[in-house]
Amino acid sequence: MNNSATTRTITKIALEYNGNDKGTAEMVSSNNLLSSTAEGQFQEMKIVADRNPKVKKWALTGYISQPDEIGRKLTDKEFAEIATKALDKIGVTVNNQFRLDIHNSTKQKHIHLIVNRIDISGKCTVKSHDIGRRFGEAVREVCKEKGLLTDVEIGIKKKKEMLKNLSETLKTVDNFDDLILKMKERGFEVQLSTNVKDGISGMRIVMEKDKNHQTEKIYKAGYKLSEISNQLKISEIKSLFEVKSTVREAEKSAGNWKEFRDYLQQKGFSVRIRYGEEFKVNQKNEMRDVWISKYDNHQQKNGLFFQKNVGFSLSAIDSYFDDLVKTMSGNEALRIIDNYDVHSKSETSESVIEIAGDLLKDLLKPSYVAQNDDDERWKKKRKSR
């Protein structure tokens, strides 16, 4: 449930808008107002407001909007009850003037409110301090009392859905243009922000069904990437696309696994192999996965796809790459090459590769990543050296 509330000085135009909405508005509740016209009601409110000349922004205006799937199930009476109970929690009394109108011209059925903060005795009953937050909390309290989802709960649900669709889509695309198109097919709009230093620097995702052009100036739909997940950052997505693009280039130009690996290393990537079981010398070893990382990414933190010290798992970032790894694993000749390349180096060289993967390229051979290899093992090796 979206909501907004602010204090301001109004004219009769505000009341005319509330009571019109392209001819679809319906007044569902009013208090201490005798006139049936917008101009007449404005004059009544202004007379009462003038009883307290110290308060310049004498009106409280705002709206409450439920998602379409919930709002359309609420009767006008139920919607009005939510609004009046929320107003009561922020100081509106039986002595205040107000008008509530249901609007139906947009995707989301919503209710608009205009309240005179000054009651008929001249007292200001609605404090302006932090009114937007306090009104939002009041609306959430009423929703909980009625067993309805709050805007926070709805937001959590939407963010989870956005992250699921985003992570699935990232596995099928190699660039931001394709990401925007594929997400649109799933019902989401991806909005990118840029700056001179970093190029693409941010992302916002909006559900197409949540777009409301009538309220977008007040309420910006959707969520920033940082609000959707603290694990996935725009820098990780950019690195992911770089890895996928380079792997596709390597596959096209390489005739075998060694050439594939060498191509990636020449492009500045480290290559690590994960086997199904503990690696055994001079025996067939099933290649379970390949991990790839840029040499200068060794300080990058763990993310949704990126794992510190090993990089991106090919089988995890793209289903096509999963098939590619299986093809590599099924090639007898490549297994023999792997055995030689991984274990023909001395233990000292192997440790150097593990600890400092961005050293001279002639030392950069694919390192064995055991199935249970983790950060603790790496830390122990560093201490032992």
Side-chain angles (χ1 to χ4, degrees), residues 70-338:
I70 298 177
R72 295 297 172 185
K73 295 178 182 179
L74 292 174
T75 65
D76 291 351
K77 183 179 179 181
E78 289 172 326
F79 229 144
E81 188 177 356
I82 292 172
T84 52
K85 285 191 173 183
L87 290 173
D88 177 68
K89 290 178 181 291
I90 61 171
V92 177
T93 71
V94 294
N95 294 322
N96 289 86
Q97 299 164 308
F98 64 77
R99 171 174 176 157
L100 306 178
D101 293 273
I102 295 286
H103 285 196
N104 293 284
S105 65
T106 61
K107 288 183 178 181
Q108 290 86 22
K109 177 181 179 180
H110 57 284
I111 189 168
H112 277 264
L113 56 97
I114 294 181
V115 180
N116 193 340
R117 297 171 60 205
I118 312 303
D119 69 9
I120 56 178
S121 66
K123 180 182 178 180
C124 181
T125 66
V126 182
K127 305 301 180 184
S128 62
H129 176 69
D130 220 4
I131 186 61
R133 180 189 60 80
R134 291 192 293 113
F135 182 66
E137 290 179 350
V139 172
R140 284 189 281 276
E141 287 179 15
V142 175
C143 286
K144 286 183 178 180
E145 292 168 4
K146 291 185 170 295
L148 298 172
L149 290 175
T150 67
D151 54 342
V152 173
E153 292 168 328
I154 293 171
I156 292 172
K157 184 179 179 181
K158 288 182 177 180
K159 291 174 188 177
K160 185 177 180 180
E161 186 177 351
M162 288 177 179
L163 181 60
K164 177 179 179 293
N165 280 273
L166 177 60
S167 59
E168 289 176 353
T169 304
L170 284 171
K171 295 178 182 180
T172 67
V173 299
D174 297 348
N175 55 67
F176 284 105
D177 289 338
D178 289 344
L179 176 65
I180 292 173
L181 290 174
K182 291 294 184 181
M183 285 292 284
K184 189 173 184 63
E185 292 175 3
R186 289 172 173 250
F188 299 90
E189 179 184 342
V190 173
Q191 302 171 353
L192 301 176
S193 55
T194 61
N195 61 42
V196 176
K197 180 182 177 181
D198 302 316
I200 295 175
S201 57
M203 178 186 295
R204 189 180 192 88
I205 301 179
V206 182
M207 285 186 171
E208 292 285 351
K209 65 180 182 180
D210 285 348
K211 288 184 179 179
N212 189 340
H213 300 297
Q214 283 74 21
T215 61
E216 62 185 356
K217 290 184 178 180
I218 303 173
Y219 172 78
K220 195 169 185 179
Y223 301 95
K224 295 178 181 178
L225 182 60
S226 58
E227 296 172 325
I228 296 171
S229 172
N230 59 5
Q231 288 184 296
L232 183 61
K233 300 183 183 301
I234 200 72
S235 58
E236 182 182 355
I237 296 177
K238 292 164 83 170
S239 296
L240 176 67
F241 286 158
E242 185 179 8
V243 166
K244 293 177 74 170
S245 177
T246 308
V247 169
R248 295 196 192 283
E249 292 173 2
E251 184 190 8
K252 292 177 182 178
S253 61
N256 54 54
W257 162 243
K258 186 176 186 303
E259 291 178 0
F260 176 85
R261 179 209 59 197
D262 290 345
Y263 180 92
L264 289 169
Q265 289 182 339
Q266 290 171 7
K267 292 294 183 179
F269 291 88
S270 64
V271 180
R272 300 178 184 276
I273 307 166
R274 184 184 293 275
Y275 293 96
E277 298 177 354
E278 188 71 22
F279 187 90
K280 297 178 181 179
V281 180
N282 299 324
Q283 293 186 27
K284 296 177 182 178
N285 294 277
E286 179 189 0
M287 184 189 298
R288 184 63 59 83
D289 202 355
V290 176
W291 294 74
I292 297 179
S293 178
K294 203 79 179 279
Y295 293 140
D296 56 5
N297 281 350
H298 61 279
Q299 292 183 341
Q300 185 173 329
K301 297 180 180 180
N302 289 336
L304 191 64
F305 294 96
F306 184 85
Q307 183 175 327
K308 189 176 181 181
N309 298 327
V310 288
F312 293 97
S313 160
L314 286 191
S315 60
I317 63 175
D318 198 304
S319 58
Y320 173 79
F321 291 157
D322 188 26
D323 293 335
L324 177 63
V325 171
K326 290 177 181 177
T327 301
M328 293 176 184
S329 182
N331 190 314
E332 184 74 17
L334 297 187
R335 293 186 191 183
I336 296 172
I337 292 174
D338 290 341

